[in-house]
Amino acid sequence: MLEELDTLKTIALTAVSAAADEPAVEAARVEFLGKKSALTGMGGRMREVPPDQKGAVGAKLNEVRTAITTAIDEKKAALLAARDAAAVAGIDLTLPGRPAWRGGLHPLTQLQDRAVKILRGMGFALATGPEVETEWHCFDALNTPADHPARNEQDTFYFPNGWLLRTHTSSVQIRTMETAVPPVRIIAPGSAFRRDEIDATHLSAFTQMEGLYIAENVSLADLKGTLEAFYRALLGPKTRLRFRPHFFPFTEPSYEVDVELHLAGQPARWVEIAGCGMVDPAVFEAVCQQRGDRVYDPERVTGFAFGMGLERLAMILFGLPDIRLLIENDARFLQQFA
Ligand code: DAH
């Protein structure tokens, strides 16, 4: 039996080492260590072994079983290691990782968010109005006569039914006063549209921000103080403002606002940045007529309004040479603001 066991051990170890994959190793385990294996059978034959040989045969049985078990365990571990190695073959784990793409807000959005935040902090609430407007909201109620050049078909996009794409956000002044009662303090950022030739400083669809404050006893001093505080918060505490008399149909008096820019490495210079003024009584009268009440009676309330182009502000603030950079979506440009 001792010789039989030695032979069995040789056969089993040869079979295990020849097993090419995990199923083959498992088959060898069943064949050589399983219930029906020769080894288990020989264990059952121990009682036939003469007493003086039982010790030696028993020891041999154990030795063979241990040897086969060890060989199978080692083979399984070796196959597993080979499988792991194959899975990562060709992958260079020392390469640096790929950076994840990071989104960012468009520079114009960033600027608008900043402007809105400052004015909200000063008590202005956000207001909106439609981009497709009536002539009445865009022009008539804003005291703009029928023969005003801004109403020309060459300057304004009209629909066949007489509606139009709003040429400024000032229409939101009217929309707001139609539904809200004074005191009213709103800002309205949004798109405006004009039939302009597109070039380095003009777009046919652009962005404005309107402001309106109506209450009893709102004065020109309030307007100047508000715009001064706003531009100082936006452009820096040393920013100076200049109010130049101008004309707008919907304000009286009206002004254009210039700010003094201090850009690094450049001499200070004045740039035009907004239009503003005290709301014209004719605007209040138009609103009163539309509402059918007198809550905007120009004898009772006064107010100021202002409007600014946000692309222009962005060009000044970010030093852009061409307004079209803001709509071309060139990632090389946009990335600089992410
Ligand atoms: N709506 C004017 C424009 O588009 C800008 C403007 C000027 C708005 C004076 C105002 C204002 O509210 O008071 O050119």
Short mmCIF file of all heavy atoms in Angstrom, two decimals, residues 168 170 173 194 208 210 248 250-251 275-277 305-307, ligand 1:
data_model
loop_
_atom_site.label_atom_id
_atom_site.label_comp_id
_atom_site.label_asym_id
_atom_site.label_seq_id
_atom_site.Cartn_x
_atom_site.Cartn_y
_atom_site.Cartn_z
N HIS A 168 -35.43 97.42 -26.01
CA HIS A 168 -34.77 97.72 -24.73
C HIS A 168 -35.58 97.08 -23.62
O HIS A 168 -36.72 96.66 -23.81
CB HIS A 168 -34.62 99.24 -24.50
CG HIS A 168 -35.89 100.03 -24.67
ND1 HIS A 168 -35.94 101.39 -24.63
CD2 HIS A 168 -37.18 99.64 -24.87
CE1 HIS A 168 -37.17 101.81 -24.81
NE2 HIS A 168 -37.94 100.77 -24.95
N SER A 170 -36.61 98.66 -21.14
CA SER A 170 -37.45 99.69 -20.52
C SER A 170 -38.92 99.28 -20.53
O SER A 170 -39.71 99.77 -19.70
CB SER A 170 -37.27 101.02 -21.24
OG SER A 170 -35.92 101.43 -21.18
N GLN A 173 -40.41 98.37 -17.28
CA GLN A 173 -40.93 99.43 -16.40
C GLN A 173 -42.46 99.45 -16.49
O GLN A 173 -43.16 99.48 -15.47
CB GLN A 173 -40.42 100.81 -16.85
CG GLN A 173 -38.93 101.04 -16.69
CD GLN A 173 -38.56 102.48 -17.07
OE1 GLN A 173 -39.36 103.40 -16.89
NE2 GLN A 173 -37.35 102.67 -17.57
N ARG A 194 -32.12 94.61 -31.79
CA ARG A 194 -32.15 95.73 -32.75
C ARG A 194 -31.59 95.27 -34.08
O ARG A 194 -30.71 94.41 -34.12
CB ARG A 194 -31.32 96.91 -32.23
CG ARG A 194 -32.03 97.64 -31.11
CD ARG A 194 -31.21 98.79 -30.56
NE ARG A 194 -31.71 99.11 -29.22
CZ ARG A 194 -31.14 99.97 -28.39
NH1 ARG A 194 -30.06 100.62 -28.75
NH2 ARG A 194 -31.66 100.19 -27.20
N GLN A 208 -29.47 93.84 -21.61
CA GLN A 208 -29.52 95.10 -20.86
C GLN A 208 -29.94 94.82 -19.43
O GLN A 208 -30.44 93.74 -19.11
CB GLN A 208 -30.56 96.06 -21.47
CG GLN A 208 -30.16 96.65 -22.80
CD GLN A 208 -31.11 97.77 -23.23
OE1 GLN A 208 -32.28 97.77 -22.88
NE2 GLN A 208 -30.58 98.71 -24.00
N GLU A 210 -32.28 96.97 -16.65
CA GLU A 210 -33.10 98.13 -16.37
C GLU A 210 -33.26 98.29 -14.87
O GLU A 210 -33.27 97.30 -14.14
CB GLU A 210 -34.50 97.89 -17.00
CG GLU A 210 -35.35 99.11 -17.12
CD GLU A 210 -34.92 99.96 -18.32
OE1 GLU A 210 -34.14 99.47 -19.16
OE2 GLU A 210 -35.37 101.11 -18.41
N PHE A 248 -33.88 111.25 -23.32
CA PHE A 248 -34.63 110.01 -23.55
C PHE A 248 -36.10 110.38 -23.47
O PHE A 248 -36.47 111.23 -22.64
CB PHE A 248 -34.28 108.93 -22.51
CG PHE A 248 -32.86 108.48 -22.56
CD1 PHE A 248 -31.95 108.90 -21.60
CD2 PHE A 248 -32.42 107.62 -23.57
CE1 PHE A 248 -30.62 108.48 -21.65
CE2 PHE A 248 -31.09 107.22 -23.62
CZ PHE A 248 -30.19 107.65 -22.67
N PHE A 250 -38.58 108.89 -22.22
CA PHE A 250 -39.32 108.42 -21.03
C PHE A 250 -38.77 108.97 -19.72
O PHE A 250 -39.23 108.59 -18.65
CB PHE A 250 -39.34 106.89 -21.01
CG PHE A 250 -38.07 106.26 -21.54
CD1 PHE A 250 -37.00 106.00 -20.70
CD2 PHE A 250 -37.96 105.96 -22.89
CE1 PHE A 250 -35.84 105.43 -21.19
CE2 PHE A 250 -36.79 105.40 -23.39
CZ PHE A 250 -35.73 105.13 -22.55
N THR A 251 -37.76 109.82 -19.78
CA THR A 251 -37.26 110.45 -18.56
C THR A 251 -37.09 111.96 -18.79
O THR A 251 -36.85 112.40 -19.90
CB THR A 251 -35.89 109.85 -18.12
OG1 THR A 251 -35.06 109.69 -19.27
CG2 THR A 251 -36.07 108.52 -17.44
N GLY A 275 -27.72 104.95 -19.34
CA GLY A 275 -28.65 106.07 -19.50
C GLY A 275 -29.55 106.10 -18.28
O GLY A 275 -29.80 105.06 -17.65
N CYS A 276 -30.03 107.26 -17.91
CA CYS A 276 -30.88 107.33 -16.72
C CYS A 276 -31.66 108.64 -16.70
O CYS A 276 -31.48 109.49 -17.56
CB CYS A 276 -30.04 107.21 -15.45
SG CYS A 276 -28.97 108.64 -15.18
N GLY A 277 -32.52 108.77 -15.72
CA GLY A 277 -33.25 110.01 -15.58
C GLY A 277 -34.42 109.85 -14.62
O GLY A 277 -34.63 108.78 -14.04
N ALA A 305 -35.24 106.02 -13.30
CA ALA A 305 -35.03 104.81 -14.08
C ALA A 305 -33.61 104.85 -14.62
O ALA A 305 -33.02 105.93 -14.78
CB ALA A 305 -36.02 104.72 -15.23
N PHE A 306 -33.05 103.68 -14.84
CA PHE A 306 -31.75 103.62 -15.51
C PHE A 306 -31.68 102.37 -16.35
O PHE A 306 -32.44 101.41 -16.13
CB PHE A 306 -30.59 103.69 -14.51
CG PHE A 306 -30.58 102.58 -13.48
CD1 PHE A 306 -29.98 101.36 -13.75
CD2 PHE A 306 -31.17 102.78 -12.23
CE1 PHE A 306 -29.96 100.35 -12.79
CE2 PHE A 306 -31.17 101.76 -11.27
CZ PHE A 306 -30.56 100.55 -11.55
N GLY A 307 -30.81 102.39 -17.34
CA GLY A 307 -30.65 101.22 -18.19
C GLY A 307 -29.22 101.15 -18.68
O GLY A 307 -28.59 102.18 -18.95
N1 DAH B 1 -33.65 102.24 -22.88
C1 DAH B 1 -32.45 103.03 -23.12
C2 DAH B 1 -31.68 102.39 -24.28
O1 DAH B 1 -31.91 101.26 -24.61
C3 DAH B 1 -31.57 103.07 -21.92
C4 DAH B 1 -32.21 103.86 -20.83
C5 DAH B 1 -32.01 105.23 -20.75
C6 DAH B 1 -32.99 103.25 -19.88
C7 DAH B 1 -32.56 105.96 -19.74
C8 DAH B 1 -33.56 103.99 -18.86
C9 DAH B 1 -33.34 105.36 -18.82
O2 DAH B 1 -34.32 103.45 -17.93
O3 DAH B 1 -33.89 106.09 -17.80
O4 DAH B 1 -30.85 103.06 -24.85
#
